[in-house]
Amino acid sequence: MRWLKKSNVERVDPGYFLFVAPLFALFVAFFIFPALRGLWLSFTDFDGIKSDYRFVGLDNYIRIIARDKSYWASYGNTIIFTLVFTLGVNAVALTVAILLDRGSRLDSVSRLFIFLPNVLNYVVIGTVWFFILGKFSTYLAELTGWGLFRIGWISDPRIAIYSAAAVAIWNGTGWFMLIYLAALQSIPGDVIEAARVDGSAGLHTFYHIKLPFLWSAVSVSLFIGITRAMKEFGLIYSMTGGGPGGATQTVLINIYDSSFSSMRYGYGIAKSMLLILVLLTIGALQMKLTGRKEIKE
Amino acid sequence: MKRSIIVSAAVFLLAFLFFSPILLVLLNSLKSEKEFVASFLALPKALDLGNYAAAMEKMRFLQAFWNTLVVTVLSLGLLVILASMTAYKLSRVRVLLSRVLAAVLLSSLLIPTQGLIVPIVVTAKDFGLLNSLAGLILFEVVAMGSVTVFMYQGFLNSVPRELDESGYMDGASGLRLFFPIIFPLLQPITTSVLILMGLATWNNFLLPLILVTDRNAFTLPLALRAFFGTWEVEFTEYFAGAMLSSLPVMALFLFAQKFFERGITAGALKG
């Protein structure tokens, strides 16, 4: 409580407000105001156009919880996507980072290639993979006759969500690889040298010397993966639009569709509020588990 | 020694797989429609940039490029100035108010843009900010504001206070102290912010998607999406469009790879 000392309180001069007011004015107008407004609108039948919308109490929430099967199904899709993406991207990125740690010239080209998909926008990624997993795959099937290319990567409802996660892994591996590379390079050289002198090598060095240093990077990366996957919208939306038959509809796509396609704003916002509740729970969990005051993108 | 070469080669093969979709798009963007239909894998017969010219016109590339550039540059400028100023006071003046403000920022981190798409649209409509670059810029700054403040705050905590105090001695205070003396010291973290947030803004899809329906205000992802959706797409032309929208940022990445890598790891691991 040292910061509460009187001498510190006195330091808040007009200059303080000059520094913090501009950003917070924007936050009030474009975050706090919309958030509170949204909370209110979630109790109404607002459709985005008419101004004489009515207060309907908990109707929206009750209808969502009791009857909206597609909304809850979209949580299932989001969970599958999140699990596959988070575990997959971390496994691939960690493996690649360990293998690239030595850093020959060829390795730096490899790093470049693996990272490059990260700078593309989601429309490019989604549409290009729509082509690759559709037409191109069919073409390869005719060319090679391999069954692998006959799988309906995005047309089969049982498979499409895994394909979306795989594409997201392709897109994100480079990012996570860099985090792991930085963690590996932060291991003091003399620790590894000392282990080598003691006769440690290869896998032994990895398990007993390097891995303990990596745990914090792993836990950070797992949470970054989860948050990133939960917020994923553009990639899946551009690739499949939520189809086939809702098989890749994540919560965000479900909310987007029911708000803007069917113009049921109040109902859509109520869905958002329930999602926010879920996100807040995960955020609180994250802070508790990692003991970090901040969560980074 | 030999083993490490084999490992390098194996990883390179995997890395090449990561790169191959981009290569596929590049190769096919240079083919005529006829060549493309004949084989997706063959190399282009001649270096023909016709698809690029067609794509530029059909997706109104220059307009979209300009819009994206304006939004990115102005958002970043505003973001860096406002967030560093805020972080400076939050890190130096440890009063209750600073804690409250930090809590507001934290809450906006936990409630991302994605959770507020409908209220954002409604608010933008009220303020007359639909279909305007100004609207995109303001919402971008708010969406990135809290992460950026925390990044600056983490860095500022390691900048010794004595520097502020020596500035005070020289009679500088307020903004006259901050911008000439403190802000230049923050350059490493400013670089990280510019790269992380620049990439995110340049490629942002969701915010323009909900705020912009007018073609004149389309950013690159929207222009590309419209191109894919409304024209009877010729894939070769579309691929040229996809390359066009990706080339600027790929070029920037190749040019400043070190900064990118440092920016990303600093953003993820500090704090």
Side-chain angles (χ1 to χ4, degrees):
Chain A
M1 293 278 131
R2 251 193 340 189
W3 44 270
L4 259 180
K5 269 196 317 195
K6 203 164 170 244
S7 61
N8 280 339
V9 178
E10 280 165 0
R11 269 207 214 146
V12 181
D13 50 74
Y16 181 87
F17 295 101
L18 178 72
F19 273 72
V20 302
L23 187 69
F24 280 98
L26 289 182
F27 264 83
V28 170
F30 301 117
F31 170 66
I32 297 177
F33 174 64
L36 295 177
R37 185 106 179 276
L39 188 61
W40 153 247
L41 287 174
S42 74
F43 298 105
T44 70
D45 64 354
F46 185 50
D47 66 356
I49 301 161
K50 66 167 195 260
S51 52
D52 60 333
Y53 52 85
R54 288 178 310 125
F55 178 76
V56 295
L58 288 171
D59 271 16
N60 289 331
Y61 289 95
I62 291 167
R63 256 193 305 161
I64 293 165
I65 291 169
R67 288 210 295 268
D68 200 321
K69 287 206 186 93
S70 71
Y71 181 67
W72 298 109
S74 74
Y75 273 93
N77 294 334
T78 308
I79 291 170
I80 295 176
F81 178 82
T82 303
L83 280 178
V84 176
F85 170 74
T86 306
L87 295 177
V89 84
N90 278 289
V92 178
L94 183 57
T95 311
V96 168
I98 290 163
L99 297 176
L100 287 176
D101 189 25
R102 269 164 303 208
S104 68
R105 199 173 298 164
L106 188 61
D107 287 349
S108 63
V109 178
S110 300
R111 248 165 57 174
L112 183 84
F113 279 177
I114 292 172
F115 187 80
L116 212 52
N118 276 282
V119 306
L120 305 175
N121 71 56
Y122 286 144
V123 178
V124 170
I125 296 168
T127 50
V128 164
W129 278 95
F130 171 80
F131 166 76
I132 293 177
L133 296 175
K135 274 192 172 178
F136 187 64
S137 179
T138 316
Y139 169 81
L140 288 181
E142 281 164 21
L143 206 67
T144 61
W146 294 356
L148 176 72
F149 300 118
R150 289 222 181 76
I151 296 170
W153 294 111
I154 44 179
S155 55
D156 186 334
R158 289 164 306 173
I159 294 173
I161 191 75
Y162 297 97
S163 302
V167 172
I169 292 171
W170 169 80
N171 170 229
T173 295
W175 197 279
F176 291 84
M177 170 191 76
L178 289 183
I179 297 176
Y180 285 125
L181 276 172
L184 282 165
Q185 273 146 23
S186 73
I187 301 174
D190 45 354
V191 171
I192 294 169
E193 181 57 24
R196 201 185 59 79
V197 171
D198 290 345
S200 169
L203 279 178
H204 184 268
T205 306
F206 177 70
Y207 277 118
H208 297 282
I209 315 294
K210 289 187 179 172
L211 206 56
F213 275 95
L214 284 175
W215 279 129
S216 78
V218 171
S219 79
V220 169
S221 299
L222 286 175
F223 273 113
I224 294 178
I226 292 170
T227 4
R228 189 167 157 158
M230 296 285 303
K231 292 194 227 163
E232 178 47 59
F233 173 83
L235 190 156
I236 305 177
Y237 192 69
S238 323
M239 190 166 111
T240 66
T248 57
Q249 194 179 60
T250 59
V251 185
L252 288 170
I253 294 178
N254 179 280
I255 293 173
Y256 179 86
D257 279 347
S258 68
S259 307
F260 297 121
S261 305
S262 5
M263 297 302 278
R264 292 154 78 196
Y265 278 34
Y267 190 67
I269 299 174
K271 285 180 173 179
S272 300
M273 293 297 152
L274 289 174
L275 173 66
I276 285 173
L277 211 61
V278 174
L279 290 177
L280 284 177
T281 313
I282 295 175
L285 208 66
Q286 166 170 14
M287 278 190 283
K288 201 160 180 176
L289 285 178
T290 59
R292 284 152 59 89
K293 276 208 307 232
E294 359 174 331
I295 299 115
K296 295 286 159 57
E297 190 75 13
Chain B
M1 200 60 223
K2 207 163 176 198
R3 206 182 129 263
S4 81
I5 293 172
I6 295 170
V7 170
S8 282
V11 181
F12 179 76
L13 273 181
L14 179 73
F16 190 77
L17 271 179
F18 272 82
F19 179 61
S20 57
I22 300 173
L23 193 63
L24 187 73
V25 172
L26 177 67
L27 286 180
N28 285 309
S29 73
L30 296 167
K31 291 181 192 167
S32 70
E33 189 68 15
K34 231 164 129 191
E35 280 179 86
F36 172 70
V37 174
S39 164
F40 292 165
L41 285 170
L43 293 173
K45 288 202 185 75
L47 195 72
D48 179 10
L49 294 178
N51 291 325
Y52 284 79
M56 272 189 122
E57 205 179 308
K58 288 186 184 171
M59 71 179 275
R60 292 218 228 156
F61 177 79
L62 289 177
Q63 168 95 63
F65 180 82
W66 174 251
N67 290 341
T68 314
L69 192 68
V70 168
V71 170
T72 306
V73 169
L74 294 184
S75 306
L76 288 181
L78 209 56
L79 178 72
V80 162
I81 292 171
L82 299 186
S84 64
M85 282 165 62
T86 303
Y88 178 61
K89 287 298 174 188
L90 294 189
S91 111
R92 290 300 190 259
V93 187
R94 307 236 159 189
V95 295
L96 185 61
L97 183 60
S98 295
R99 303 279 289 203
V100 173
L101 294 179
V104 171
L105 293 177
L106 186 65
S107 73
S108 89
L109 210 56
L110 297 173
I111 305 175
T113 318
Q114 286 88 335
L116 292 174
I117 48 175
V118 186
I120 282 175
V121 173
V122 177
T123 308
K125 206 170 171 185
D126 289 349
F127 284 105
L129 291 172
L130 285 180
N131 288 319
S132 85
L133 299 186
L136 282 178
I137 292 166
L138 293 172
F139 279 103
E140 288 281 8
V141 170
V142 171
M144 298 181 292
S146 43
V147 185
T148 310
V149 170
F150 289 133
M151 284 172 76
Y152 272 115
Q153 219 183 340
F155 191 84
L156 270 160
N157 289 339
S158 67
V159 173
R161 276 159 173 268
E162 286 74 40
L163 276 165
D164 312 17
E165 267 139 40
S166 67
Y168 275 119
M169 298 294 177
D170 295 341
S173 71
L175 297 173
R176 285 249 257 350
L177 168 73
F178 182 71
F179 281 106
I181 298 172
I182 311 292
F183 187 74
L185 299 172
L186 308 179
Q187 185 260 323
I189 199 73
T190 300
T191 312
S192 295
V193 168
L194 289 177
I195 281 166
L196 282 179
M197 304 304 161
L199 194 59
T201 314
W202 183 271
N203 284 338
N204 197 344
F205 174 60
L206 183 59
L207 208 49
L209 180 71
I210 59 175
L211 291 180
V212 176
T213 48
D214 174 4
R215 286 200 76 157
N216 292 319
F218 271 9
T219 56
L220 283 171
L222 289 190
L224 202 60
R225 180 178 129 88
F227 185 23
F228 192 73
T230 53
W231 293 80
E232 188 49 45
V233 227
E234 287 193 359
F235 268 104
T236 48
E237 286 180 1
Y238 179 74
F239 287 150
M243 283 314 289
L244 276 173
S245 87
S246 314
L247 279 174
V249 56
M250 284 204 278
L252 195 68
F253 170 67
L254 293 180
F255 183 69
Q257 191 186 357
K258 275 228 170 64
F259 290 106
F260 267 78
E261 298 188 346
R262 245 181 266 150
I264 287 159
T265 44
L269 290 180
K270 286 258 174 64

